Amino acid sequence: MSIAENIAQVRERIAAAARRTGRQADEIILMGVSKTFPAERIREAHAAGLRVFGENKVQELASKADALRDLLDAEWHMIGHVQTNKAAKATELFDAVDSVDSFRMAEKLNASAESAGKTLSVLIEINVGGEQAKSGVAPDSEELEQILQGAPRWGNVKIEGLMAIPPYADDPEGSRPYFLQLRQIRDQIARRSLPRIGLAVLSMGMSHDFEVAIEEGATCVRVGTAIFGERIQT
């Protein structure tokens, strides 16, 4: 199937999952995870109507940027860990960083965005599975609290919500407890009515489990393989 056909099929699945929980399909953003795929594949997805793209390495988007510069309505999200020494470049290239995993990173991004004269949308990444190999702040951690308390000082970083990558499970139902956990964390934070903390976005769910994520409240699903095919090894 072509990328356009894949996107159409994914959108149908999103709509079906939304209907099961009384939601509207247009409440859910489809992000195409374009990491490792060349610019021409991204252009094909854009021509098929996809507008939000996720990359997990600053240097990879930098290598594609010139070939994609004319896609003025494309929105670029950083979904991988950002090294502090790449904060300035990430701020330059991306419209949003969905993987803030430390107070220090949020501070760096705010300083870089201030220097660039822009406001950067960010999500706080929560390590719902407690996996050492994955980034993200632990739920109920001091690091998470520092980020929440630091938000009022950051005039150039706008916290929009939470993101998570649960432990992989062959059965999509294995992801459900982690999606539920992220939603509950969001609700707990929301009850505190903290200043400058937006919680409209729950970014969770990938190609193999995004329907379960939608049933648990996802507002953004990050889909790579189901759109672009098997990832190109680099």
Side-chain angles (χ1 to χ4, degrees):
M1 292 174 67
S2 68
I3 286 177
E5 289 170 324
N6 289 344
I7 290 171
Q9 188 176 79
V10 169
R11 289 199 186 280
E12 287 174 7
R13 291 169 61 190
I14 288 172
R19 284 194 298 271
R20 287 196 291 274
T21 51
R23 302 176 66 194
Q24 299 295 317
D26 60 8
E27 296 175 26
I28 299 140
I29 296 166
L30 173 58
M31 178 188 296
V33 177
S34 50
K35 62 182 184 182
T36 79
F37 292 102
E40 56 265 27
R41 302 281 282 278
I42 297 171
R43 297 184 75 87
E44 189 177 342
H46 183 272
L50 200 63
R51 292 295 179 269
V52 181
F53 297 90
E55 293 277 341
N56 75 334
K57 292 182 179 178
V58 173
Q59 59 270 34
E60 185 177 345
L61 182 58
S63 71
K64 302 175 187 176
D66 285 342
L68 299 168
R69 203 173 299 282
D70 60 313
L71 304 185
L72 299 179
D73 56 352
E75 194 174 298
W76 302 99
H77 289 242
M78 178 62 174
I79 58 174
H81 173 71
V82 181
Q83 296 173 321
T84 53
N85 64 352
K86 291 190 169 68
K89 193 65 176 176
T91 301
E92 174 192 332
L93 291 170
F94 289 92
D95 301 293
V97 174
D98 294 354
S99 50
V100 168
D101 58 6
S102 71
F103 175 84
R104 184 173 178 230
M105 174 49 56
E107 290 260 270
K108 285 274 191 182
L109 291 171
N110 182 67
S112 297
E114 185 177 10
S115 296
K118 68 186 287 188
T119 299
L120 190 68
S121 295
V122 305
L123 303 180
I124 304 170
E125 182 177 1
I126 307 293
N127 189 340
V128 288
E131 297 174 279
Q132 291 187 350
K134 286 183 180 173
S135 55
V137 295
D140 301 319
S141 66
E142 182 179 340
E143 191 78 34
L144 175 57
E145 187 63 25
Q146 282 186 316
I147 295 170
L148 297 176
Q149 295 298 329
R153 298 203 307 272
W154 300 325
N156 294 80
V157 158
K158 185 177 181 183
I159 296 174
E160 305 273 16
L162 308 178
M163 185 268 263
I165 305 172
Y168 181 82
D170 289 329
D171 182 354
E173 283 296 323
S175 299
R176 191 181 294 276
Y178 299 103
F179 295 147
L180 173 60
Q181 181 186 3
L182 191 70
R183 176 159 54 87
Q184 290 173 334
I185 293 168
R186 187 272 311 274
D187 293 346
Q188 289 166 6
I189 296 171
R191 285 194 288 271
R192 296 170 61 185
S193 299
L194 296 168
R196 288 187 57 79
I197 300 289
L199 294 165
V201 179
L202 275 183
S203 177
M204 57 189 192
M206 297 185 285
S207 289
H208 67 292
D209 59 10
F210 69 82
E211 289 147 309
V212 174
I214 290 168
E215 292 169 359
E216 292 299 334
T219 66
C220 176
V221 294
R222 307 180 305 272
V223 180
T225 304
I227 291 175
F228 295 101
E230 290 301 319
R231 187 162 297 134
I232 297 171
Q233 297 301 315
T234 56

